[in-house]
Amino acid sequence: MGITLGRLQEEQFDDAAALIHASTNAWYLKNTGRVAFGCEPSGCRLFPDTYHALDAGQCITATDDATGTLIGTCHLHLR
C-alpha cells in the first residue's frame, strides 16, 4: 500500500472529522468499553476547524494511494 503525505485541505475537513470520530471511538471502545463521542461524525468537525484556526496549514495528512482515502492526520502546533 502506498501512502501520500500532504497538508489538510478545507475540502478534507469532513473526512478528517469522520476519521477522528471513528478512530477515537474504536480506541475508547476497545480500552474502556464505551465510546468517546456519542455524536455523529460531523460533530467532530470542530477538530479540523480548530486546528485550521490555530495553525492553518499545519495539519499533516496520510492518504491511501490506492483508494484516495484519508487514513491519518497529525496537527502540528509549535510552542
Side-chain angles (χ1 to χ4, degrees):
M1 162 171 54
I3 296 173
T4 299
L5 300 179
R7 303 276 181 173
L8 186 66
Q9 303 299 311
E10 289 191 50
E11 60 269 13
Q12 296 175 297
F13 284 14
D14 289 335
D15 292 337
L19 177 63
I20 291 166
H21 182 273
S23 61
T24 304
N25 273 348
W27 187 93
Y28 270 85
L29 191 58
K30 178 182 175 185
N31 291 284
T32 71
R34 62 178 184 80
V35 296
F37 302 120
C39 61
E40 294 295 316
S42 61
C44 290
R45 173 70 191 247
L46 70 103
F47 293 104
D49 287 340
T50 301
Y51 298 158
H52 182 74
L54 288 173
D55 299 299
Q58 295 301 308
C59 186
I60 306 300
T61 60
T63 304
D64 182 326
D65 290 339
T67 65
T69 302
L70 186 66
I71 58 173
T73 63
C74 179
H75 177 251
L76 305 173
H77 180 68
L78 302 176
R79 295 173 194 225

